[in-house]
Amino acid sequence: MSYVTIHGKARLLAPALLAVALAACSGKDDSAPAAAAGTPASPAAIPAEPAVSAKVQSMGTDQLRDSASTALRENRMYAPAGDNAMEYYLALRDKLPDDAAVKSALTDLQPYTLIAAEQSLAREDFPEAQRLVALIEKVDPSAPALPRLKQGITRGMEVAVKRTQEETDKVKKDAENRAKQLVEQQRLAQQQAAEASAAQQLAARQEAARKESERLEAERQAAAKREADARAAAQQVAAAPKPAAAAPTLRAVSTPAPRYPADALRSGTSGEVLVELTIGTDGSVTDARVLRANPPRVFDREALNAVRRWRFEPISSPTTTRRTLAFQPNQ
């Protein structure tokens, strides 16, 4: 394909996008200087590569024309770097500075490059935006859109750096907050563990106190029971009848036998009478009574008459005793 054909194709592609690019530039150029006046110092710029690669610059004119034609046909008007129509035409212009067709081709390609630079800037691809701006600046250092694009790159880089710093700060703050939360969680866990341990110790002390109280209460109840048992025993001892004092030794002085009743003697009746008698200190019988008689009322009177006549040696205190009197007809 001839150079004229290539140039003609570029002119056919240009009008629509050129109109868009010029409309975008016309509304922004007037305000660019004022905005630039208040722009803070930009961050360190990304080192710019040469607008035209050394490989392209080393190519001959015929090779450049052929490469430019192929790039246009394949729609590589401004990219990729080192293999696009803009770089090939810029190299041709360096070699043929008076070639009007080359200048015209560059003029036609510039709007596409401008749009691509705007798009790169919008997606924050600052190295690509700088490369495209360098191409535009090499085509026309006084292009109206250059200040705005450069300022957009500077601002965009500042915003990106600030956002990156904010994101870094946020990540750092989040990490610090997580670290603080972890420390707080550990503190709370330690506090809860300490409280649980204290509660266990308190429960153990309360249980020990309860057992001690139960032990003391059991001892108190046992002591009270022993005391009650002792009092009951003492009361039983106190209430128990005292053993009678040993009866004085009775020594009979005179114990005449009872008279045998005549009726009983005639009938041959025998029997016995149990008599309780009380002896006074002088040895005489002070009282007498029948406790049991067999047969009843046969020998009672004679038994009582007999014991009332009994005499004993004097004793220290009155005493009561029992005697059995037997009645046998053959005696």
Side-chain angles (χ1 to χ4, degrees):
M1 184 179 294
S2 66
Y3 171 75
V4 175
T5 303
I6 296 170
H7 181 67
K9 183 176 180 180
R11 285 189 175 278
L12 290 174
L13 292 172
L17 290 177
L18 179 60
V20 174
L22 291 177
C25 296
S26 62
K28 299 177 182 178
D29 291 342
D30 294 339
S31 61
T39 302
S42 63
I46 300 173
E49 297 290 335
V52 180
S53 68
K55 179 182 177 181
V56 173
Q57 289 175 345
S58 66
M59 296 169 63
T61 56
D62 291 339
Q63 187 180 3
L64 288 171
R65 286 193 181 96
D66 291 340
S67 297
S69 175
T70 302
L72 281 175
R73 186 169 58 252
E74 295 177 357
N75 203 29
R76 290 182 282 107
M77 290 179 286
Y78 46 81
D83 187 15
N84 59 79
M86 282 286 285
E87 290 189 44
Y88 294 137
Y89 281 127
L90 285 170
L92 274 173
R93 191 182 68 176
D94 290 341
K95 297 178 182 298
L96 303 172
D98 297 329
D99 192 321
V102 172
K103 294 179 181 179
S104 178
L106 288 171
T107 301
D108 292 340
L109 288 171
Q110 185 169 341
Y112 299 98
T113 308
L114 173 62
I115 294 172
E118 295 277 7
Q119 292 172 345
S120 297
L121 186 59
R123 65 175 180 268
E124 296 187 350
D125 187 354
F126 301 117
E128 179 65 7
Q130 283 185 319
R131 186 185 72 81
L132 296 174
V133 167
L135 289 175
I136 296 170
E137 188 171 20
K138 188 169 179 62
V139 172
D140 181 8
S142 61
L146 283 175
R148 178 178 53 77
L149 289 172
K150 290 181 178 181
Q151 185 179 15
I153 291 173
T154 300
R155 287 181 176 176
M157 291 173 65
E158 289 174 350
V159 170
V161 168
K162 182 179 179 182
R163 183 172 63 249
T164 301
Q165 184 62 44
E166 289 175 350
E167 291 174 352
T168 301
D169 293 343
K170 184 177 183 300
V171 170
K172 182 179 179 181
K173 186 175 181 180
D174 290 344
E176 290 175 351
N177 289 336
R178 285 194 296 272
K180 289 179 180 179
Q181 290 176 355
L182 180 60
V183 170
E184 180 64 15
Q185 290 173 355
Q186 292 175 345
R187 186 189 68 79
L188 289 176
Q190 292 174 353
Q191 180 180 349
Q192 291 174 352
E195 291 175 351
S197 177
Q200 290 177 350
Q201 293 176 0
L202 177 60
R205 288 196 297 271
Q206 291 176 343
E207 179 65 14
R210 184 185 66 79
K211 290 182 177 179
E212 180 65 14
S213 177
E214 290 179 350
R215 185 185 67 81
L216 293 175
E217 178 62 19
E219 291 181 354
R220 187 190 66 78
Q221 291 180 357
K225 185 176 183 302
R226 288 194 299 270
E227 183 179 353
D229 292 344
R231 284 198 303 268
Q235 290 174 357
Q236 289 177 356
V237 170
K242 295 181 181 180
T249 303
L250 294 175
R251 292 182 177 87
V253 174
S254 173
T255 56
R259 188 179 68 81
Y260 209 102
D263 293 341
L265 183 61
R266 283 193 297 271
S267 62
T269 302
S270 61
E272 62 182 13
V273 178
L274 176 63
V275 179
E276 182 181 79
L277 58 153
T278 302
I279 298 95
T281 57
D282 61 353
S284 63
V285 176
T286 61
D287 189 20
R289 64 189 183 94
V290 175
L291 295 179
R292 184 179 66 250
N294 185 25
R297 295 183 298 278
V298 175
F299 303 103
D300 295 13
R301 177 177 299 183
E302 296 301 331
L304 290 175
N305 289 335
V307 299
R308 287 185 179 124
R309 297 193 303 273
W310 287 1
R311 294 292 180 271
F312 297 88
E313 291 182 354
I315 54 178
S316 60
S317 61
T319 185
T320 301
T321 186
R322 294 178 181 180
R323 294 289 189 269
T324 301
L325 283 72
F327 291 84
Q328 296 294 335
N330 300 324
Q331 291 182 353

